[in-house]
PDB file of all heavy atoms in Angstrom:
ATOM      1  N   ALA A  95     -29.669  -1.710  -3.477  1.00  0.00           N
ATOM      2  CA  ALA A  95     -28.382  -2.269  -3.654  1.00  0.00           C
ATOM      3  C   ALA A  95     -28.422  -3.846  -3.450  1.00  0.00           C
ATOM      4  O   ALA A  95     -29.405  -4.255  -2.745  1.00  0.00           O
ATOM      5  CB  ALA A  95     -27.212  -1.643  -2.732  1.00  0.00           C
ATOM      6  N   LEU A  96     -27.629  -4.574  -4.115  1.00  0.00           N
ATOM      7  CA  LEU A  96     -27.686  -6.072  -3.957  1.00  0.00           C
ATOM      8  C   LEU A  96     -26.324  -6.535  -3.574  1.00  0.00           C
ATOM      9  O   LEU A  96     -25.323  -5.959  -3.664  1.00  0.00           O
ATOM     10  CB  LEU A  96     -27.920  -6.656  -5.407  1.00  0.00           C
ATOM     11  CG  LEU A  96     -29.206  -6.079  -6.103  1.00  0.00           C
ATOM     12  CD1 LEU A  96     -29.212  -6.537  -7.525  1.00  0.00           C
ATOM     13  CD2 LEU A  96     -30.428  -6.513  -5.382  1.00  0.00           C
ATOM     14  N   MET A  97     -26.342  -7.829  -3.094  1.00  0.00           N
ATOM     15  CA  MET A  97     -25.130  -8.437  -2.661  1.00  0.00           C
ATOM     16  C   MET A  97     -24.177  -8.437  -3.671  1.00  0.00           C
ATOM     17  O   MET A  97     -24.381  -8.601  -4.831  1.00  0.00           O
ATOM     18  CB  MET A  97     -25.347  -9.913  -2.228  1.00  0.00           C
ATOM     19  CG  MET A  97     -24.141 -10.620  -1.451  1.00  0.00           C
ATOM     20  SD  MET A  97     -24.452 -12.093  -0.782  1.00  0.00           S
ATOM     21  CE  MET A  97     -25.088 -13.144  -2.164  1.00  0.00           C
ATOM     22  N   ASP A  98     -22.904  -8.150  -3.338  1.00  0.00           N
ATOM     23  CA  ASP A  98     -21.697  -8.115  -4.176  1.00  0.00           C
ATOM     24  C   ASP A  98     -21.586  -6.726  -5.120  1.00  0.00           C
ATOM     25  O   ASP A  98     -20.621  -6.560  -5.608  1.00  0.00           O
ATOM     26  CB  ASP A  98     -21.471  -9.255  -5.132  1.00  0.00           C
ATOM     27  CG  ASP A  98     -21.193 -10.498  -4.392  1.00  0.00           C
ATOM     28  OD1 ASP A  98     -20.423 -10.455  -3.438  1.00  0.00           O
ATOM     29  OD2 ASP A  98     -21.678 -11.644  -4.882  1.00  0.00           O
ATOM     30  N   ASP A  99     -22.603  -5.779  -4.872  1.00  0.00           N
ATOM     31  CA  ASP A  99     -22.462  -4.585  -5.504  1.00  0.00           C
ATOM     32  C   ASP A  99     -21.271  -3.740  -4.921  1.00  0.00           C
ATOM     33  O   ASP A  99     -20.958  -3.899  -3.676  1.00  0.00           O
ATOM     34  CB  ASP A  99     -23.715  -3.661  -5.329  1.00  0.00           C
ATOM     35  CG  ASP A  99     -24.836  -4.073  -6.213  1.00  0.00           C
ATOM     36  OD1 ASP A  99     -24.646  -4.891  -7.142  1.00  0.00           O
ATOM     37  OD2 ASP A  99     -25.963  -3.549  -6.053  1.00  0.00           O
ATOM     38  N   LEU A 100     -20.664  -2.908  -5.675  1.00  0.00           N
ATOM     39  CA  LEU A 100     -19.702  -2.048  -5.190  1.00  0.00           C
ATOM     40  C   LEU A 100     -20.238  -0.640  -5.117  1.00  0.00           C
ATOM     41  O   LEU A 100     -20.773  -0.105  -6.110  1.00  0.00           O
ATOM     42  CB  LEU A 100     -18.370  -1.921  -6.133  1.00  0.00           C
ATOM     43  CG  LEU A 100     -17.593  -3.190  -6.073  1.00  0.00           C
ATOM     44  CD1 LEU A 100     -16.334  -2.999  -7.192  1.00  0.00           C
ATOM     45  CD2 LEU A 100     -16.934  -3.413  -4.746  1.00  0.00           C
ATOM     46  N   LEU A 101     -20.260  -0.056  -3.929  1.00  0.00           N
ATOM     47  CA  LEU A 101     -21.041   1.180  -3.628  1.00  0.00           C
ATOM     48  C   LEU A 101     -19.923   2.188  -3.389  1.00  0.00           C
ATOM     49  O   LEU A 101     -18.884   1.976  -2.798  1.00  0.00           O
ATOM     50  CB  LEU A 101     -21.774   0.980  -2.414  1.00  0.00           C
ATOM     51  CG  LEU A 101     -22.912  -0.039  -2.484  1.00  0.00           C
ATOM     52  CD1 LEU A 101     -23.773   0.024  -1.130  1.00  0.00           C
ATOM     53  CD2 LEU A 101     -23.860   0.079  -3.614  1.00  0.00           C
ATOM     54  N   THR A 102     -20.204   3.402  -3.938  1.00  0.00           N
ATOM     55  CA  THR A 102     -19.283   4.623  -3.697  1.00  0.00           C
ATOM     56  C   THR A 102     -20.167   5.537  -2.930  1.00  0.00           C
ATOM     57  O   THR A 102     -21.281   5.881  -3.093  1.00  0.00           O
ATOM     58  CB  THR A 102     -18.962   5.245  -4.974  1.00  0.00           C
ATOM     59  OG1 THR A 102     -18.219   4.373  -5.866  1.00  0.00           O
ATOM     60  CG2 THR A 102     -18.083   6.435  -4.761  1.00  0.00           C
ATOM     61  N   ILE A 103     -19.618   5.769  -1.578  1.00  0.00           N
ATOM     62  CA  ILE A 103     -20.167   6.741  -0.685  1.00  0.00           C
ATOM     63  C   ILE A 103     -19.428   7.995  -0.788  1.00  0.00           C
ATOM     64  O   ILE A 103     -18.198   7.983  -0.604  1.00  0.00           O
ATOM     65  CB  ILE A 103     -19.990   6.213   0.765  1.00  0.00           C
ATOM     66  CG1 ILE A 103     -20.784   4.879   0.992  1.00  0.00           C
ATOM     67  CG2 ILE A 103     -20.583   7.065   1.788  1.00  0.00           C
ATOM     68  CD1 ILE A 103     -19.766   3.652   0.956  1.00  0.00           C
ATOM     69  N   ARG A 104     -20.043   9.100  -1.121  1.00  0.00           N
ATOM     70  CA  ARG A 104     -19.589  10.417  -1.185  1.00  0.00           C
ATOM     71  C   ARG A 104     -19.929  11.306  -0.072  1.00  0.00           C
ATOM     72  O   ARG A 104     -21.023  11.324   0.266  1.00  0.00           O
ATOM     73  CB  ARG A 104     -19.845  11.045  -2.545  1.00  0.00           C
ATOM     74  CG  ARG A 104     -19.162  10.405  -3.738  1.00  0.00           C
ATOM     75  CD  ARG A 104     -19.088  11.408  -4.892  1.00  0.00           C
ATOM     76  NE  ARG A 104     -18.371  10.890  -6.051  1.00  0.00           N
ATOM     77  CZ  ARG A 104     -17.064  10.903  -6.203  1.00  0.00           C
ATOM     78  NH1 ARG A 104     -16.236  11.452  -5.395  1.00  0.00           N
ATOM     79  NH2 ARG A 104     -16.563  10.213  -7.225  1.00  0.00           N
ATOM     80  N   THR A 105     -19.042  12.130   0.408  1.00  0.00           N
ATOM     81  CA  THR A 105     -19.260  13.013   1.571  1.00  0.00           C
ATOM     82  C   THR A 105     -18.816  14.359   1.197  1.00  0.00           C
ATOM     83  O   THR A 105     -17.549  14.467   0.862  1.00  0.00           O
ATOM     84  CB  THR A 105     -18.781  12.513   2.890  1.00  0.00           C
ATOM     85  OG1 THR A 105     -19.240  11.131   3.049  1.00  0.00           O
ATOM     86  CG2 THR A 105     -19.111  13.331   4.106  1.00  0.00           C
TER      87      THR A 105
END
Side-chain angles (χ1 to χ4, degrees):
L96 307 167
M97 189 168 63
D98 290 328
D99 281 352
L100 286 177
L101 305 178
T102 300
I103 301 105
R104 288 205 180 270
T105 305

